[in-house]
Amino acid sequence: MTKDITKSDLLNLYGDLTFVVDLIDKKVTNAYNGNEPIKGDFSFADFSDIIAEIFDLQNSFKGKLNRFFSNLNITYEPFTLPLDYVRTNGEPSRIIYKGLKIDDSHVLFSLSASDTSTTSKVDELTKTHNRTFIVEKVKDAVDTNKEFALMILSIDNYDSFNDIYGHMVGDIVLIEAVASIKKTIGNRGYIARIGGAEFLIMIYVENNYDVIHGVCRDIRTSTNDLSIHNIKQIEITTTVGCASYPKDGDNYELLFKKADKALIRGKKKGRDCFIIYTPERCGEVSLEDSVETPTQIFDKMYNVNTNYNVIAGVLEIINRDSNFQKNIEDSISLIGNYFLLDRITLVRLNTENDTIMNTQIWYNPRMPKHVPILKDSWKGAWRDTMDASGMVKVNQVNSNKHLPIYEELKTNKTSSVLAFEMILNGTMFGHIKFEMCSTNRFWQQNDISALMLISKIFAIKLHKEYENNIHYKELFYDRVTDIYNYNKWRNDIYNILENNPFTKYSILEFNIESYRTLKSVIGPAACEKILVLIANKLKELNKNTVMYCRDSDDKFLLFFHHQDEEEINKVFYDMVHYVDANNPVKNAKVTLHAGAYIAEEGEDFTVALDKAILARRQTGISTQLVYFSQKFYEQQQSKTQIELHMRDALKNNEFLLYLQPKINSATGKLVGAEALTRWHFNHEKLLFPNDFIPIFEENGFIEELDYKVFENVCIFQRKIIDSNRRPVPISVNVSRYITDYKKYISKINEIRNKYEIPNWLIEIEITEGMYINNAEIIAEFINMLHKEGYSVSMDDFGAGYSNLSSLATLDFDLIKLDKNFCKNQSGKETTILASIIDLVRNLNMNVLCEGVETQKFADYLKSLGCYIVQGYLYDKPLPEEAFIKKYIK
């Protein structure tokens, strides 16, 4: 049985040279030198010549390679094998062979050179190349006349990460940032670490300013969304300096110095930017210039096993004088982020009967949560799999179907796992699994050693807690209220539902309104009194019908062994009245909000719990208890789907430009258009603005969309101009949620200048909601737009807030009457419309009426002096190509 080998399969082993050995036909196929394919099938002898050339090895290598491949006897278990050779200059060289049997006749190989000299070719922490590697690639590209850009990237304020959070967090910043940058670069180039937080990037790219500009932007912004070790206040930004071949030079030294000059210019500018080298912007550079770089210092300095940092961090966290469960949680979070894992599962066992007592799971925040199924199989399948040291190591689950734990790993979506028993003095305290779910992982020996040591640290701490008998209460009871904590409550419910999966039940979640504000006003101690009051009332409930716990902060959860809505209401409102009557804190109003869900038969408990929590979020001023609504649930699911995909949609050009024509009713000719947008979601379905604009306004993404629509308009105008057709002005809306108007103008000018669009071809529309109670600031904004050459219109005049004084105080070029003026025009409405049109014209402003749907009303507007109209009488919003075909001559 054979298998088609893809480039992705080959590159999974991350070697300098990757290829497939055909054991039957005795040949080598599918070979790649780095990311570059080597065409042709080769005999072992011929391919040994290629390897010798790539790694600069002596001829004696050829015989060794033939013997090695001819005597292969490999199982499906991945293997790593170092072999020593000699270079042509007589220096020793070690080649690391990584292998994986794909099927009965093919083996996937990866070869990497591991120098025995003191200078490493790979940075141990970030797994990037060193500068020498990039220098060689630059020379090769120049020799073959292959265009490329050379960039120096610096992580801004890196020293402050180390000073504030410690070196282990600083290391995580580097690891996370490099991973994101590598993802952006893909197979187009290389990255090398040349300083503490400085990297050299070579990327093959067309020597075109716009293309290089886009690549620099993508690389600079690739780290913007990283969340490091759950420390939300860390914001990673980078500064990039760029030079390119052949425009800026034909050798590494000159290109590096120009890129460095650009980087220095970017740092002086304020960082968080990229600068493409030009002499005018950065200053002249020659080979004689001396440019100070960190490379020489770094190559000598950074030669330590950085895993010791994370071990020290775990020791520090685990021994904090605080909640033991929280210490464990913070520790595994640090480990997961540091080692770039997808999931960590730490299971604590009852030392008396070896059953599961408590479980803590950490997830990579970028991965979808999949709660693993936990079994007592550790006694059997796992212990049958582990080695003598109490370790289980699986690099590729799919290649290990023979293992006793295979089915469990597949069910839990595990692709690679490293697991250890936590044993001390012969007592088993639990086990810990370090898992990958998104990709295979070949566990390196230094990582294995570090994680094994960490598991021993946990075992020591668990032993100490066990000996002192401190942890029992923390495991099951909330410290403040002395009622069950969430873990105990959940585990008891799991046991009930496992024994009787068709139990009829309901869930209620309630919390205190504005608890954090209340806490800041009356203090933590007073708030704890309120929490204890609530817990005391819960203790009066019948434990045979209601199970309760304090989840966190002010949140309480109740599990009812029935589906009696009337009884649920009674329990909650009894609590409300009790708290009102017995509030221990005077002059502090305590309001409770709750959500409830009556579970369907056999429904998963975690899903039911999420629905109760979602219901609670629907409560408002007039409602204190809300039951789950399927409609609201679907809306939240849709909202979540939109928010998860919106940034990818921006990168994938899923936001389409639609144009609605503006017509002169006197001539019937096109005089302009309004820019609108539609979202071609995942290139599958079309979403209209009402589906996503409110969500973007709520989460702040609306500003990014505004810039995208503006850029789409500039691209469209450039297309029209380049095709020698007559363009017309296009109006673009400004979101009312944009507050930094100087930044907005700077950004749209940058976009417009990029595409060289005359400013008279773009009109800026300001909605009336922007200037209500904000007239002075908007007046200044309009003045700034006028200075830049843009015309400015008032959108939706008359939609609900407009007042006539705004016409006098704000210097608009055009007033757009809202479509509501086109409805029910009789009596007073007709008089008001005529007066407004007359007033606008007397103020020397143009006037446009939206929503015109009948010829009769268009003729009436014409009689009033309003000639520019927009509406379905003439056309609906059209896609770009349809608009060009119909209107652009």
Side-chain angles (χ1 to χ4, degrees), residues 669-721:
K669 292 184 178 180
L670 179 77
V671 294
E674 179 180 3
L676 303 167
T677 191
R678 303 288 185 266
W679 185 354
H680 195 194
F681 191 89
N682 208 23
H683 297 294
E684 293 175 354
K685 59 181 178 180
L686 202 64
L687 299 184
F688 288 83
N690 285 344
D691 296 326
F692 56 88
I693 293 295
I695 297 172
F696 290 174
E697 289 178 340
E698 181 182 329
N699 63 27
F701 190 69
I702 189 66
E703 185 171 353
E704 296 298 322
L705 180 62
D706 274 5
Y707 295 141
K708 182 62 178 177
V709 173
F710 190 92
E711 184 171 25
N712 285 344
V713 168
C714 290
I715 292 171
F716 176 83
Q717 295 286 43
R718 173 47 51 197
K719 183 192 301 183
I720 299 303
I721 294 170

Side-chain angles (χ1 to χ4, degrees), residues 337-433:
N337 279 289
Y338 189 92
F339 287 99
L340 302 177
L341 303 170
D342 290 337
R343 184 171 66 217
I344 300 176
T345 306
L346 187 147
V347 178
R348 297 174 65 180
L349 300 179
N350 186 321
T351 56
E352 295 180 359
N353 55 23
D354 215 19
T355 58
I356 295 175
M357 184 172 65
N358 176 261
T359 303
Q360 288 178 265
I361 304 175
W362 171 87
Y363 299 91
N364 186 318
R366 294 188 298 274
M367 296 294 298
K369 286 190 177 180
H370 173 76
V371 180
I373 297 173
L374 301 175
K375 302 178 181 179
D376 285 339
S377 60
W378 192 268
K379 299 176 184 177
W382 282 87
R383 288 180 181 171
D384 291 341
T385 307
M386 70 180 56
D387 62 17
S389 68
M391 178 182 76
V392 173
K393 183 187 76 170
V394 181
N395 293 329
Q396 293 177 311
V397 168
N398 288 335
S399 301
N400 288 274
K401 296 181 181 180
H402 63 285
L403 295 178
I405 57 173
Y406 173 78
E407 291 300 331
E408 182 178 336
L409 293 176
K410 290 299 291 182
T411 300
N412 289 334
K413 299 184 178 180
T414 303
S415 53
S416 299
V417 64
L418 187 64
F420 302 93
E421 288 186 321
M422 295 185 292
I423 300 178
L424 191 67
N425 297 334
T427 302
M428 175 78 155
F429 291 98
H431 44 83
I432 185 167
K433 303 177 204 171

Side-chain angles (χ1 to χ4, degrees), residues 830-847:
T830 303
T831 303
I832 292 172
L833 178 62
S835 299
I836 290 175
I837 291 174
D838 188 53
L839 175 62
V840 171
R841 294 180 63 198
N842 287 332
L843 290 172
N844 294 320
M845 301 179 192
N846 291 319
V847 62

Side-chain angles (χ1 to χ4, degrees), residues 129-225:
H129 300 289
N130 68 1
R131 182 182 54 163
T132 303
F133 180 88
I134 300 291
V135 172
E136 293 171 356
K137 291 298 179 183
V138 167
K139 184 178 183 301
D140 292 343
V142 171
D143 290 344
T144 56
N145 199 27
K146 191 172 183 178
E147 296 181 348
F148 64 89
L150 189 68
M151 306 175 194
I152 304 176
L153 178 144
S154 175
I155 297 178
D156 300 329
N157 303 316
Y158 176 72
D159 289 341
S160 67
F161 298 151
N162 289 329
D163 294 341
I164 297 172
Y165 303 109
H167 286 283
M168 56 189 168
V169 174
D171 289 347
I172 294 171
V173 168
L174 292 177
I175 293 168
E176 290 275 7
V178 167
S180 184
I181 294 167
K182 281 183 176 179
K183 183 177 179 182
T184 301
I185 295 173
N187 294 333
R188 296 179 296 166
Y190 310 94
I191 179 171
R193 188 176 181 198
I194 60 170
E198 293 197 4
F199 297 87
L200 189 61
I201 298 170
M202 176 193 179
I203 186 164
Y204 299 111
V205 63
E206 178 186 349
N207 220 206
N208 173 284
Y209 180 84
D210 289 342
V211 175
I212 294 175
H213 185 281
V215 171
C216 288
R217 179 193 60 225
D218 291 345
I219 290 175
R220 181 185 68 83
T221 59
S222 63
T223 61
N224 285 359
D225 298 326

Side-chain angles (χ1 to χ4, degrees), residues 466-483:
Y466 174 76
E467 290 293 320
N468 296 332
N469 199 25
I470 295 173
H471 69 288
Y472 181 83
K473 197 81 172 173
E474 292 184 348
L475 279 175
F476 298 138
Y477 287 88
D478 176 58
R479 177 188 61 82
V480 175
T481 61
D482 199 35
I483 63 175

